[in-house]
Amino acid sequence: MTGSLRDLPSVDSLLQSPRLLEWIAIYGRLLTTQAVREALAQVRAAHPAASTLPARSELEQEIHNLLTAWTASTLEPVINATGVILHTNLGRAPLSRAALAAAVRVSSGYSNLEYDLERGQRGSRLIHAEALLQCLTGAEAALVVNNNAAAVLLVLTGLARRRAVVIARSQLVEIGGGFRVPDVMKQSGARLLEIGATNRVHLADYAEALREAPALVLRAHRSNFRIIGFTGEPALPEIVALAHQSGVPVVDDLGSGSLIDTARFGLAHEPTVQESLAAGADLVCFSGDKLLGGPQAGIIIGRGELVAKLKKHPLARAIRADKLCLASLTATLGHYLKDEAEREIPIWRMISTPLADLEQRAQAWRRSLGHGEVVSGESTVGGGSLPGETLPSWLLALSPSAPDRFLRRLRQADPPVIARLKNDQVVLDPRTVLPEQEQDLLAALRPLLG
Ligand SMILES: *Cc1c(COP(=O)(O)O)cnc(C)c1O
């Protein structure tokens, strides 16, 4: 349509067209009217530089584009073809079916979150995961909070405010997302009492620090880096024995906190929660969505009187876990109790997938696409556990002429596919692609392979 701005349809006439009436039913009159005004304003702004006015159908299309863009969720599922199992940027651990069902069941209506059904009065939300955690780990007590960063902050604030906390210099870590042990310490009001050198700390260093009557000794898992060469630190039981002689409790921030021995899958041994307790740690903290494979949560377990003190601290209220978290965490813990974690928890299923299955899946992708080659490669655990450790895998490798552009177009697919580059090839790792996402993955790849 050529012509002057006077030929533009009015807001009212647009709102009465059949397509617009449909969109009003979907998006509401207010938002649709706003989209109409915005689309008309865009045309006016482009005029007179644009010599032609858009046709009515083009105008309507633009209105629809605005409506879908404005109402689209920015948080969307993606397909993780990177082979990084606990990918921090991709939401860490996917939930098991039971964990998901539990969250839906408890949150689509009311629940007994804080209601004692037996006595018909107020109950505590803290009981829901506590019994399971006690049963699985043998700990006297447990407390679940929003995430492990909050758990560490609560422990330090609740037990060491205005007092010293002993920690080895080799453990003053920074985890992704801005969690730094020294900064959390400062925030809690505890005083950092660093001991040892960057690479080595001795039992004598602990002994000397204990003379200053600290509130506690903290051990933090290094999580995302390794120190190699001339290194060393005392084992946890030695530290505990020494600290207990001075009546000082030991807190072990495990980070990932596995309940299962990772060495069973050809990986290095990641310290387990049970081992820390057996070594005598008074409190152990770990994440819900790292190697536990559940929802985002921070779990504190250990001695009854210390956990009781933390439960009563005002900060505990501010960082408490919500019902979605407690429902899905309880269901996740149930998998461990029933000894079905490897089968039911997605991250353990991924870690324990036999190599032959991965090769078969990569080959099936190649056959279905008629493109690429199947090459050997590595998956990683990620999520601040087992740094530098890899699991052998089979990858589908594609050789597009512009790999970066290819990756970008994969990210624009619906759902977006996240892959990675290896030696200028685009590689896709079947280990982290959920079986129910395979058809979507292939559908995203096909049009790009032409
Ligand atoms: C990951 C990690 C944290 C933080 O846990 P979030 O659940 O991400 O808050 C704290 N300490 C250590 C050692 C970690 O590895």
Side-chain angles (χ1 to χ4, degrees):
M1 187 200 283
T2 54
S4 79
L5 288 174
R6 263 177 298 152
D7 299 326
L8 271 181
S10 70
V11 172
D12 281 340
S13 93
L14 278 164
L15 283 173
Q16 275 155 31
S17 77
R19 287 174 79 195
L20 270 284
L21 288 173
E22 254 174 62
W23 300 337
I24 288 170
I26 299 170
Y27 300 103
R29 178 169 292 275
L30 208 65
L31 197 66
T32 309
T33 309
Q34 212 175 328
V36 170
R37 293 217 167 92
E38 173 67 28
L40 290 171
Q42 282 174 11
V43 174
R44 285 193 201 97
H47 206 78
S51 54
T52 59
L53 289 178
R56 195 181 172 100
S57 62
E58 290 173 82
L59 205 50
E60 290 183 354
Q61 188 53 51
E62 178 54 23
I63 292 165
H64 193 243
N65 292 347
L66 287 169
L67 286 169
T68 48
W70 287 346
T71 54
S73 163
T74 59
L75 182 57
E76 287 289 311
V78 304
I79 297 175
N80 175 10
T82 64
V84 182
I85 296 170
L86 291 167
H87 199 303
T88 301
N89 304 137
L90 303 184
R92 286 201 189 147
L95 293 180
S96 74
R97 259 175 308 181
L100 195 63
V104 170
R105 214 162 63 87
V106 160
S107 58
S108 41
Y110 297 103
S111 67
N112 64 337
L113 179 65
E114 287 185 352
Y115 189 78
D116 185 331
L117 291 171
E118 186 86 27
R119 294 190 291 163
Q121 52 182 249
R122 188 180 201 286
S124 165
R125 72 173 61 215
L126 298 177
I127 62 160
H128 300 294
E130 183 162 27
L132 275 168
L133 285 164
Q134 286 165 323
C135 183
L136 281 166
T137 65
E140 284 173 20
L143 170 59
V144 179
V145 295
N146 182 53
N147 58 20
N148 191 35
V152 176
L153 180 64
L154 176 62
V155 168
L156 294 173
T157 312
L159 304 179
R161 192 169 168 76
R162 296 202 195 91
R163 296 182 60 196
V165 172
V166 178
I167 185 166
R169 289 201 166 83
S170 57
Q171 295 166 15
L172 291 173
V173 299
E174 172 176 326
I175 324 284
F179 177 92
R180 283 175 157 185
V181 170
D183 292 348
V184 175
M185 201 88 89
K186 203 179 287 171
Q187 186 60 41
S188 72
R191 182 167 60 84
L192 186 64
L193 186 48
E194 302 173 50
I195 57 167
T198 309
N199 54 329
R200 281 167 80 86
V201 59
H202 301 277
L203 206 55
D205 296 320
Y206 281 97
E208 199 180 314
L210 283 164
R211 276 195 227 117
E212 294 194 31
L216 48 92
V217 172
L218 178 65
R219 190 181 77 153
H221 189 287
R222 269 188 283 280
S223 299
N224 49 12
F225 73 105
R226 270 206 306 216
I227 51 173
I228 52 169
F230 187 53
T231 65
E233 56 190 30
L236 189 58
E238 296 176 274
I239 299 171
V240 169
L242 193 68
H244 285 181
Q245 277 172 27
S246 310
V248 175
V250 175
V251 175
D252 196 13
D253 173 15
L254 273 182
S256 213
S258 186
L259 292 176
I260 294 182
D261 183 3
T262 47
R264 276 183 19 211
F265 309 101
L267 289 161
H269 173 73
E270 174 79 11
T272 65
V273 175
Q274 297 93 325
E275 281 163 6
S276 290
L277 288 174
D282 300 273
L283 289 177
V284 182
C285 343
F286 54 101
S287 286
D289 56 351
K290 290 185 180 172
L291 281 175
L292 194 71
Q296 177 187 304
I299 299 165
I300 305 168
I301 57 173
R303 272 201 6 237
E305 86 245 33
L306 295 179
V307 174
K309 200 167 168 189
L310 297 178
K311 281 178 180 170
K312 278 188 272 175
H313 195 280
L315 186 59
R317 168 65 180 81
I319 58 173
R320 72 183 182 184
D322 78 316
K323 60 190 174 190
L324 285 159
C325 164
L326 290 170
S328 50
L329 179 64
T330 310
T332 305
L333 293 171
H335 293 312
Y336 290 95
L337 205 61
K338 292 184 264 174
D339 198 20
E340 58 182 27
E342 270 171 59
R343 195 181 72 226
E344 296 297 329
I345 298 179
I347 64 142
W348 287 109
R349 208 161 52 221
M350 290 172 187
I351 290 173
S352 63
T353 308
L355 198 51
D357 291 9
L358 296 167
E359 185 176 13
Q360 245 172 34
R361 287 176 69 194
Q363 290 290 5
W365 293 357
R366 189 190 54 78
R367 276 196 306 276
S368 165
L369 296 166
H371 275 276
E373 51 178 333
V374 172
V375 300
S376 65
E378 280 110 31
S379 322
T380 54
V381 176
S385 43
L386 302 164
E389 285 286 311
T390 58
L391 286 161
S393 189
W394 288 98
L395 320 173
L396 176 66
L398 302 166
S399 307
S401 52
D404 282 319
R405 217 183 91 214
F406 193 91
L407 285 178
R408 188 170 66 240
R409 290 181 62 194
L410 278 179
R411 293 197 302 272
Q412 290 163 348
D414 181 21
V417 175
I418 316 297
R420 64 185 164 98
L421 288 181
K422 187 186 175 198
N423 307 328
D424 286 332
Q425 286 187 307
V426 171
V427 292
L428 302 134
D429 190 332
R431 191 186 294 275
T432 50
V433 175
L434 301 172
E436 57 269 30
Q437 294 179 319
E438 282 199 353
Q439 287 315 312
D440 282 341
L441 173 75
L442 297 175
L445 284 164
R446 257 182 220 112
L448 304 190
L449 293 168

